[in-house]
Amino acid sequence: MGEKRRHDSDSGSGSESDTGKGKQAATEDYSDSDSLKSNEIVDVDFDFFDFQPADFHSLKPMLAASFGDDSDMFNLSELADMILYQNAIGSTVKVDGESDPYAFMSVLGMKQHKDREAIRQVREYLLKKAGRQRDQLGKLLDASNVGLLFNERVVNMPPQIVVPMLRMLMEETQRAVDAHEPFDFEYFVLLCPMYREVAADDSDTEEPPGKPGQEGLDAHGRVEDEFIEEFAHLKFDFKFSKLKRVADARNTFADTGLLPSRRCLVIHRSQISPIIARLESVLE
């Protein structure tokens, strides 16, 4: 438990070392500090760890971020407990000298945990939001071993951590499969934060019909998702059922604004290695 994880020196930027030293730019979260300017670079030491029971209270808000404004529709405590129980699957990232994780990646078997309330909630929610993709998604969830993939981090963690985390996750699930554990996933489901351009008077919180990007320009909330999406077997966009924020245009009197939403990607396992290679090429 809590064992420091391997960090390949070639999985980050060229200046990173095996100790997991990375660089991140200061953002608006540091705007109150007179000692940091917006273009300064801050050196941060971080390492990868197995999940620990003490991570529970940090995991819950990051899990909530996965589901955005609809997070109260899910049993987040149960999701966190399931992730912690299979602590050898997935990783957390912790900054040197601190105990709270700043990022995590893990996967939960939707078939293995099909009778758990949280997984039933996720399944029902995705089928409701899938629109014209509902039948295809339903057949896939019924017939295949599907892993619900979580990739969450605080805003200032560099995206370069995704490559080693994803590589380690695949190695860990393969070891579990070799030990006859139910982690032989054929597909992975990933929820990606999006910002959609909408008209200022658009108050509709129902799922938009049609294909992703139909209403206007879309922006990815995480840089890596744009490249992961290239390998998706199935994808669909949806709005939140319980939208708690308004498009920013309503506050600025602009004609259009950005509204938070989600894009669901379903990825076949054969695409994971190409995804890792693609992310290595664009993030490093």
Side-chain angles (χ1 to χ4, degrees):
M1 304 292 182
E3 178 184 358
K4 187 172 290 187
R5 310 300 296 274
R6 174 176 57 82
H7 182 208
D8 293 334
S9 59
D10 62 352
S11 60
S13 65
S15 62
E16 291 183 1
S17 70
D18 290 342
T19 61
K21 187 173 184 179
K23 291 187 177 180
Q24 58 186 111
T27 70
E28 65 271 17
D29 287 351
Y30 294 110
S31 59
D32 293 335
S33 174
D34 293 333
S35 62
L36 290 176
K37 305 300 182 182
S38 61
N39 62 346
E40 286 183 326
I41 298 298
V42 180
D43 285 343
V44 177
D45 290 332
F46 60 87
D47 290 292
F48 301 95
F49 292 84
D50 291 319
F51 290 96
Q52 303 175 57
D55 297 333
F56 176 84
H57 294 291
S58 297
L59 284 186
K60 281 191 65 177
M62 285 194 278
L63 285 168
S66 294
F67 303 104
D69 290 350
D70 288 344
S71 62
D72 59 359
M73 299 172 65
F74 305 93
N75 189 336
L76 301 179
S77 293
E78 187 174 50
L79 287 173
D81 283 337
M82 286 190 285
I83 289 171
L84 293 176
Y85 180 78
Q86 56 175 43
N87 67 302
I89 301 295
S91 310
T92 64
V93 176
K94 298 181 180 180
V95 175
D96 185 41
E98 299 190 27
S99 59
D100 292 334
Y102 279 60
F104 85 94
M105 182 179 289
S106 189
V107 61
L108 292 172
M110 297 189 70
K111 181 170 289 186
Q112 176 189 0
H113 299 294
K114 60 184 178 64
D115 295 327
R116 302 293 291 268
E117 179 186 43
I119 296 300
R120 291 201 308 268
Q121 291 169 336
V122 172
R123 177 189 169 90
E124 293 169 4
Y125 180 82
L126 292 178
L127 289 173
K128 178 181 178 181
K129 295 296 187 180
R132 65 182 66 184
Q133 310 274 23
R134 178 187 175 95
D135 289 344
Q136 185 178 358
L137 178 64
K139 291 176 181 177
L140 187 148
L141 292 174
D142 288 337
S144 305
N145 192 12
V146 178
L148 180 60
L149 181 61
F150 292 99
N151 170 32
E152 294 295 337
R153 64 180 182 273
V154 299
V155 65
N156 287 328
M157 284 302 293
Q160 284 80 6
I161 64 172
V162 174
V163 173
M165 292 180 81
L166 184 56
R167 182 185 291 113
M168 286 189 291
L169 181 63
M170 294 302 107
E171 292 171 352
E172 290 158 351
T173 55
Q174 184 56 55
R175 285 197 294 269
V177 171
D178 294 342
H180 308 291
E181 297 181 30
F183 288 91
D184 189 16
F185 301 119
E186 185 175 0
Y187 291 94
F188 296 88
V189 171
L190 176 66
L191 294 182
C192 306
M194 301 291 296
Y195 292 91
R196 176 182 295 267
E197 184 182 54
V198 295
D201 60 352
D202 184 3
S203 60
D204 179 19
T205 61
E206 293 301 314
E207 171 208 0
K211 298 181 179 180
Q214 171 176 302
E215 292 191 342
L217 295 176
D218 289 337
H220 287 269
R222 295 187 301 238
V223 62
E224 66 269 21
D225 292 337
E226 178 180 356
F227 305 103
I228 295 174
E229 182 181 331
E230 298 172 1
F231 301 88
H233 171 78
L234 173 69
K235 63 182 178 181
F236 57 88
D237 284 4
F238 60 89
K239 295 181 181 180
F240 298 122
S241 299
K242 300 181 178 182
L243 193 63
K244 299 174 183 176
R245 292 162 286 180
V246 297
D248 54 8
R250 301 183 197 177
N251 299 322
T252 61
F253 303 102
D255 293 332
T256 61
L258 295 177
L259 196 67
S261 61
R262 287 293 180 271
R263 178 167 294 171
C264 180
L265 304 181
V266 180
I267 305 157
H268 191 265
R269 64 185 173 194
S270 64
Q271 299 304 305
I272 298 299
S273 291
I275 286 173
I276 292 174
R278 178 74 165 126
L279 294 180
E280 285 180 326
S281 69
V282 297
L283 296 180
E284 297 180 2

